[in-house]
Amino acid sequence: MEKSFEDYPSNQLGWVIFVQSINKMADLQFLTDTVQQVRRDILRMVHKVNSGHPGGSLGCAEFFVTLFNEVMERKDGFSMDGKEEDLFFLSNGHISPVFYATLARAGYFEVSELNTFRLLDSRLQGHPTTHEGLPGVRVASGSLGQGLSVAVGAALAKKLNNDPKLIYVLMGDGELQEGQNWEAMMFAAAKKVDNLIATVDLNGKQIDGTTEEVLSLGDVKQKFEAFGWTTFTLKEGNHIPALLTQLQEAKAACGKGKPVAILMQTEMGNGVDFMMHTHAWHGKAPNDEQLEAALAQNPETLGDY
Amino acid sequence: MEKSFEDYPSNQLGWVIFVQSINKMADLQFLTDTVQQVRRDILRMVHKVNSGHPGGSLGCAEFFVTLFNEVMERKDGFSMDGKEEDLFFLSNGHISPVFYATLARAGYFEVSELNTFRLLDSRLQGHPTTHEGLPGVRVASGSLGQGLSVAVGAALAKKLNNDPKLIYVLMGDGELQEGQNWEAMMFAAAKKVDNLIATVDLNGKQIDGTTEEVLSLGDVKQKFEAFGWTTFTLKEGNHIPALLTQLQEAKAACGKGKPVAILMQTEMGNGVDFMMHTHAWHGKAPNDEQLEAALAQNPETLGDY
Amino acid sequence: MNPYTNQGSQDTRSGFGAGLAELGKTNPNVVALCADLIGSLKMDDFIEAHPERFFQIGIAEANMMGIAAGLTIGGKIPFTGTFANFSTGRVYDQIRQSIAYSGKNVKICASHAGLTLGEDGATHQILEDIGLMKMLPGMTVINPCDFNQTKAATIAIADHIGPVYLRFGRPKVPNFTSSDAPFEIGKGLILKKGKDVTIVATGHLVWEALEAAAALAEQSIDAEVINIHTIKPLDNDIILKSVAKTGCIVTAEEHNFLGGLGESVARVLSENAPTPQEFVATNDTFGESGTPSQLMAKYGLDQTAIQLKVHKVLERKI
Amino acid sequence: MNPYTNQGSQDTRSGFGAGLAELGKTNPNVVALCADLIGSLKMDDFIEAHPERFFQIGIAEANMMGIAAGLTIGGKIPFTGTFANFSTGRVYDQIRQSIAYSGKNVKICASHAGLTLGEDGATHQILEDIGLMKMLPGMTVINPCDFNQTKAATIAIADHIGPVYLRFGRPKVPNFTSSDAPFEIGKGLILKKGKDVTIVATGHLVWEALEAAAALAEQSIDAEVINIHTIKPLDNDIILKSVAKTGCIVTAEEHNFLGGLGESVARVLSENAPTPQEFVATNDTFGESGTPSQLMAKYGLDQTAIQLKVHKVLERKI
Ligand SMILES: Cc1ncc(C[n+]2csc(CCOP(=O)(O)OP(=O)(O)O)c2C)c(N)n1
Ligand SMILES: Cc1ncc(C[n+]2csc(CCOP(=O)(O)OP(=O)(O)O)c2C)c(N)n1
Ligand SMILES: [Mg+2]
Ligand SMILES: [Mg+2]
């Protein structure tokens, strides 16, 4: 499959109409509308409780919306077992706002529940958890570096169950500094866990600065390949058609004896101009004025919660 | 520096006489004698207490003896600080027999103390420890995967102290499955820890079988290089001249902004025919007859303890 | 006289291996994972019979715990196997988040617990694992006393929904409980009734407690011996009922006196019925190399130590 | 009335930051390490003044502990900084082998301990770290009560040879101890004398204990309040002397009731002077998101909870 989208500018508004994997303009419009609404949800959630992680959440909004609405083969409702459906794990649990907003907008629970984010007695904990029974969450995360292992386990269970569906997992790039990831990487290649697509949010940023400043990851693609993974680099990680093409390509690469990874270059804080090109908004909520400015850049589409 | 020794057969007895880094025949003879005596020490130690790890120990005898006697710049006596001298850390602590025998034969403590290996109240614990004050040991090991990090820390301290000497560390190949190693690998490259030489005992074996059977390491060199290390492969890890040349080459590669690794291919159980080409002797002691047979293949040189 | 007889010494880890092999036949959801210690964990029989239900993880315990958590999501009941140190301290945060807090049905099976693994020494001799695991909300912590009970416990935990820590040992020790005794999680067992002092013991120390009680009987001291195979949830009732009768207690465990069974019992007592207590446990030190019996003697974990502590606590009884 | 006044609320982690900055000036061997949480740990001042003595490790806590151990070998005194969960449970085996068993002079400095970090929720709210660290032979465990004491403790531990776990928190809490009070490791402090009941509190709960004692005074209950800033080595004497007078005790900690300060005190009592004790601590549950004060109220960690437990223990006193 050729990467035809890399040639196009990643301007959010200048989408190409003809996309192999989306045949109806309506789908594209729905996705772009959902992304915009999810951005509003993220911003409003973290603003309300003056805590949480908008930066990484915004940077992954296109990915989440595309994955859940156009790529994953999901069943109605939610069961922990997730048999006969694709499953998603969020390893970098701090970007829970985009996860929750995507789940709510995909019907896992009422969008009004987004209002309870990080409040006492909420199912929408600061970091995702199964402990409160929130539909869509299959493991707790927040302590970094654990999600890939869990995803590998879920993938092995699918194989044991002769379940042909896939496992998706998202990790942060700073998160790759945790050694457990490399244990899981080595295992997945050695044991041919090829029903697994791991995506890395390669935004080049973490809490204390750029990944380069904090602890350079070096050449991530080279590392993944050296660890035996089929590895794609997606330059336009905030571009829905590019995401779609890439995810379909990754899907097609499954079942060939190797685990599959997508290194997804994103912009932290994407869609809110003053939150982009900085790591400052990794874990900081906007104040009232900042919220207003940010929302103005992302008008309501599907209706606020 | 050209790897001239790779052309020669790794026959223990068929050494080349002219070696760039050893100018006197006496040195070579001393090293080979010491290796043979260390082998005897290892075998007798584990036999006596019917426990311990002869396989990996025998496989690394040439490395230890060469490193301690011809390569490391050591000071007389032992101080924990180890200022102004090269330091060695053993990460795969289970091969303590070769470590202890090498230390004793290098004068860190009386060889007679080898007699106390793994006995109650001994300084020669099953796995090396500082807890009993054994000269030559600077950190406890045994729980795998921790030694490289400690070595990196010691290397950083040397830099802070403007101490130009080097840090050496040995790891097992199975041990590379532990994620902490990859954390340390990433760190050492990112922060240019270039006063460190890490050697991997690439014997292709671990407890439950070959590394290939247990959990394939894939292409180790590719992984080290992808993690930003200057990486040498030493095919003849049981050949003293080859070891010497390789260690000198690695030394010369220090101070150039990158950490240095040697992937050292060894034969587990080397020097005892029935212990070679199997993982069976990873952690099993010989019985009386086996000991006799093994010792017969390695006649006394420097005197048994 | 010790009311139990040694049916022949066996290692408790072999009880685990036997239980796991049994589960292989009876429960198709049971899967096993190991981190390069198959032989030590006695998993061979299970693996031979069900190779497709076994996962060799290599030396990567953190990954093993995560994979186990993930396997539960497909309805599996994973049994992880490695040494006790690498089953707990090495992977505490992974167990905490991916298993305990996530409520995953993983059975963490740990061999070579305590001092008695012997010659490998302190890096392998964890004396804190009971404390580590008991602090995790939702975790069940079990330390059976012999081969038969370990086998029974292994089988029993497969039917218990939720994370379990099962701790057992390396050396051969007396096998004295009945091979068909049912294993009930959380129910302590009175092995010998007595009225002068309560001895609450777990794991390898249960046999030592029985031997100590037999010796004490000859000194006209009537000790009650309780096998507290489950440390969490702790059978408070059996302990409180016993001390109501005896008025003093000795706890015995192959563990640091800090954080383990002894402190749990002290808490139950101080919260309900303050009672003189003495501790048979290691005294906040690391272990060392030696034979199991040498170590038990040196670190005060044998029947002699139990007797000493009984005498001490009897003096404190008012 | 509370004999202490709040000099202005501050976070204890800022006390750590201030102490570390001070050490930067006075002790050239002090180096600092952080795992991508500089701001949260308040390490900025130290780093700015001594960039060459700071090591940014990235998100790799296990590696951080090993590197810290290695740095001691060159004579450095490393202070590691990350959240309490990642300072303990995440790296237990690394601390155990490379630091504690190896006797390395590393200061493990842990912020965001307990429930009161608030909104991040349970994965970050470790309630087991005191228990984890107290079980390690040779480890010193300190949980100071306010900004001033945290600063003093930070400075004091640099002079103590051996591994130390220093625990502090995220939220702003009353700063009430004297800024020039010396910090003596292992010496509990009687903050208020009393004869009816002993309240032994640590960390954030010391202020709550003082407030509770003030309220109790109005109910004619004379509580003795002890700030037990060092959990290991525990000041047994101060506790035993106090209960000899009061006859009952309440322990208060931001920690699970299993394995923490409360159980250590229970052990000391049952071994020396069995005494009715009640526990202010979390009740073997994970935490959750919420504001610090909401969480302290919901999980029974505030002055109200302390008062309740005092009433309860007084009823049990004979
Ligand atoms: C084990 C662990 N260590 C540290 C943290 C604190 N922490 C939360 S997010 C974060 C940075 C993560 O970086 P990255 O994965 O790149 O996510 P991004 O900042 O891009 O969203 C850190 C250090 C944590 N949650 N878990
Ligand atoms: C963290 C940890 N996990 C497991 C073990 C048990 N163990 C001791 S040696 C060993 C195999 C090591 O393999 P390798 O490093 O290749 O050493 P070799 O067998 O070649 O000597 C294992 C699994 C351990 N010591 N530490
Ligand atoms: Mg990032
Ligand atoms: Mg090997």
Side-chain angles (χ1 to χ4, degrees), chain B residues 53 55-57 92 94-95 127 142-145 171-176 178 201 203-207 211 268 282, chain C residues 35-37 59-61 82-83 86 90 124, chain D residues 93:
Chain B
H53 300 78
S57 293
N92 46 337
H94 59 278
I95 66 167
H127 294 81
S143 178
L144 294 166
M171 298 169 278
D173 51 359
E175 188 178 16
L176 292 181
E178 286 287 356
D201 176 21
N203 60 15
K205 298 181 183 67
Q206 54 192 111
I207 292 184
T211 51
M268 194 184 251
H282 157 91
Chain C
D36 197 21
L37 285 168
I59 315 173
E61 294 81 6
T82 182
F83 291 161
F86 315 136
R90 183 67 171 211
H124 287 54
Chain D
D93 189 40

Side-chain angles (χ1 to χ4, degrees), chain A residues 94 142 144 172-175 178 203 205 207 268 282, chain D residues 61 86:
Chain A
H94 60 279
L144 293 166
D173 51 0
E175 187 178 15
E178 286 287 356
N203 59 15
K205 299 182 183 65
I207 291 184
M268 194 185 251
H282 158 91
Chain D
E61 294 82 6
F86 315 137

Side-chain angles (χ1 to χ4, degrees), chain B residues 89-141:
Chain B
F89 294 94
L90 178 65
S91 188
N92 46 337
H94 59 278
I95 66 167
S96 58
V98 67
F99 191 20
Y100 295 152
T102 304
L103 287 175
R105 297 287 169 188
Y108 282 87
F109 51 85
E110 296 288 321
V111 291
S112 61
E113 196 169 345
L114 295 177
N115 221 352
T116 69
F117 177 60
R118 285 183 169 238
L119 295 183
L120 199 70
D121 296 324
S122 170
R123 299 197 297 179
L124 278 62
Q125 290 291 303
H127 294 81
T129 175
T130 59
H131 203 256
E132 316 293 333
L134 189 72
V137 181
R138 288 193 171 82
V139 79
S141 56

